[in-house]
Amino acid sequence: MSKEQKMKDGGFSRGLTILLAAACGLIAANLYYAQTLVGPIGASTGLSAGAAGLIVTLTQIGYVVGLLFIVPLADIVENRRLTIVSLAVATAALIAAALAPNAPLFLAASLLIGTASVVAQVLVPFAASLASEAERGRVVGNVMSGLLLGIMLARPVASFIAGIWSWPYVFAASAVAIALLAALLSRKLPERRPAPSVSYGRLIRSLAPLFARTPALRRRALYQAFLFGAFSLFWTVAPLHLADAYGMSQQGIAWFALVGVGGAIAAPIAGRLADKGWSRPLTWLALSVALVSWLLPHIVHGHSTASLVLLFVAAIALDMAVSGNLVLGQRVVYTLGSEARGRLNGLFMSIFFIGGAVGSALGGWAYAHGGWQLASLIGAALPLLAILYAFTERGHKELEAKPAVN
């Protein structure tokens, strides 16, 4: 009996869950270190305020490229080897970012960081494939909570390090961490050898038909694209708004970003409730909370303490909505077919990361041309569009995955 089969029969190892959650967190953090550093990185590399959003946007575009062309390899290539090679590339790209003397080189490194960091989306379906059907929502929720903690901790960690030393040290430290992670995973990860039935070329060509014939995938991906666009827009403009309106230093922005970490608690909770068949009401709740989070800071006008507190609450609420809805979507996607799990996950993640890239770009543009007011208007419009799209479901079962049999 293989190690993989033993895990399915005997329950998912707690140690492996922790390892995969930590690995996903460290890898995903690479996408967001620059988000609260757009000001100092732009000043250091010569990027204008309007173009500063490209720092995050190009990383997310690189991630989308990886989702479409690297993650599908998980359906035909041994997963542990794919993971280690990707981490080696990520390490090299992080070193290049730390040493980049100008904007073109830094942006090129950012693109490559995003592409290589897609290995986190090889590990999440890897975990799902090792878990039994009855515990899949819980396992995915726990691993995703690690990934989301990495995303949310990336911003304050980057700000703290940049405040003490300077921004290149953030990328240098991450390069060391990813290199050590690669060494650990090479020893601890079990092998997972899929039985490929098609070539890589046919695999890539199958993405469009797979998307076309899977309505649940399309719906869940679009919901998350709207929410992740709002999330990326918020975390692109919030550091700039805090510095301009409240005079916050890089350390103050770090403490603000740290508050958002509380939103990660929604991931394991959503996973457990999804296992009980609550995907539909929780989806509506997530979309509604995301919209309300953009409206909260406008209850109190001006730059008072009360308005700052509401901004903190909005950050937590938005992060909870996005992280909870992500796990709901992934659980649905992972029930659609194990033989195409890598491709389904790649399509799902690439679509909503396109939403994130659009949100980051819109955030930089909106803040440069209309400040926080224009950025907030666009940010609120994104979850509102998701809610309007949800009304088109008309009673179909597209939001729900089958509840696991206990």
Side-chain angles (χ1 to χ4, degrees):
M1 182 181 290
S2 69
K3 186 174 182 179
E4 180 177 338
Q5 187 60 48
K6 286 179 181 177
M7 287 182 182
K8 287 185 177 179
D9 294 342
F12 199 83
S13 161
R14 179 177 176 83
L16 187 58
T17 301
I18 294 171
L19 175 60
L20 289 175
C24 287
L26 283 171
I27 295 164
N30 291 322
L31 303 172
Y32 296 95
Y33 287 130
Q35 204 159 43
T36 55
L37 304 177
V38 290
I41 292 175
S44 178
T45 59
L47 278 173
S48 67
L54 287 174
I55 294 171
V56 179
T57 299
L58 279 176
T59 307
Q60 292 174 329
I61 289 173
Y63 202 69
V64 170
V65 170
L67 287 165
L68 291 175
F69 297 102
I70 295 177
V71 169
L73 285 170
D75 290 337
I76 60 174
V77 173
E78 199 280 303
N79 284 194
R80 182 173 64 184
R81 181 179 301 176
L82 179 61
T83 298
I84 303 308
V85 171
S86 298
L87 290 177
V89 175
T91 300
L94 287 162
I95 294 171
L99 299 176
N102 54 49
L105 288 177
F106 180 83
L107 293 175
S110 297
L111 187 69
L112 191 56
I113 288 170
T115 304
S117 295
V118 79
V119 68
Q121 296 310 321
V122 173
L123 293 177
V124 177
F126 190 173
S129 70
L130 294 176
S132 67
E133 176 65 23
E135 62 180 356
R136 184 163 293 142
R138 178 181 62 82
V139 168
V140 170
N142 288 337
V143 173
M144 284 303 301
S145 67
L147 185 148
L148 291 163
L149 275 172
I151 291 174
M152 294 171 186
L153 283 170
R155 296 184 293 264
V157 167
S159 292
F160 280 128
I161 293 175
I164 296 170
W165 294 293
S166 60
W167 67 263
Y169 284 90
V170 176
F171 295 93
S174 182
V176 173
I178 295 299
L180 292 174
L181 177 64
L184 180 61
L185 290 179
S186 69
R187 294 174 58 86
K188 298 295 184 181
L189 269 188
E191 286 190 347
R192 178 176 180 260
R193 295 183 180 276
S197 58
V198 295
S199 65
Y200 178 71
R202 289 186 61 188
L203 196 72
I204 298 302
R205 290 194 295 272
S206 73
L207 292 176
L210 187 63
F211 180 74
R213 68 172 181 262
T214 316
L217 168 66
R218 295 197 302 272
R219 184 169 289 277
R220 297 302 327 192
L222 286 172
Y223 288 153
Q224 193 63 19
F226 284 121
L227 290 197
F228 199 62
F231 172 91
S232 295
L233 193 154
F234 181 89
W235 286 107
T236 297
V237 302
L240 300 173
H241 178 57
L242 289 168
D244 294 343
Y246 297 95
M248 277 196 181
S249 65
Q250 200 65 52
Q251 298 288 344
I253 292 170
W255 285 111
F256 177 85
L258 192 60
V259 170
V261 174
I265 65 171
I269 295 171
R272 285 171 173 79
L273 293 176
D275 283 340
K276 298 179 180 179
W278 287 32
S279 293
R280 186 189 302 271
L282 288 174
T283 297
W284 278 99
L285 178 62
L287 300 181
S288 301
V289 168
L291 175 59
V292 171
S293 69
W294 274 104
L295 302 178
L296 278 176
H298 297 281
I299 294 176
V300 177
H301 296 286
H303 304 145
S304 64
T305 301
S307 67
L308 183 59
V309 169
L310 287 174
L311 198 60
F312 271 76
V313 175
I316 298 172
L318 182 60
D319 286 6
M320 289 184 70
V322 174
S323 61
N325 193 67
L326 175 56
V327 171
L328 297 175
Q330 286 188 300
R331 193 191 187 284
V332 171
V333 169
Y334 293 160
T335 63
L336 298 177
S338 60
E339 72 285 350
R341 188 167 283 139
R343 281 168 288 168
L344 288 166
N345 189 57
L347 284 166
F348 172 71
M349 298 295 291
S350 62
I351 290 165
F352 91 67
F353 261 88
I354 289 172
V358 171
S360 297
L362 282 174
W365 173 84
Y367 195 80
H369 291 84
W372 175 251
Q373 296 299 322
L374 179 57
S376 293
L377 181 64
I378 297 173
L382 293 173
L384 179 59
L385 288 171
I387 290 171
L388 294 175
Y389 178 51
F391 278 112
T392 68
E393 193 202 356
R394 295 178 182 174
H396 295 299
K397 295 294 184 182
E398 294 175 356
L399 286 182
E400 300 234 25
K402 283 183 176 179
V405 177
N406 294 324

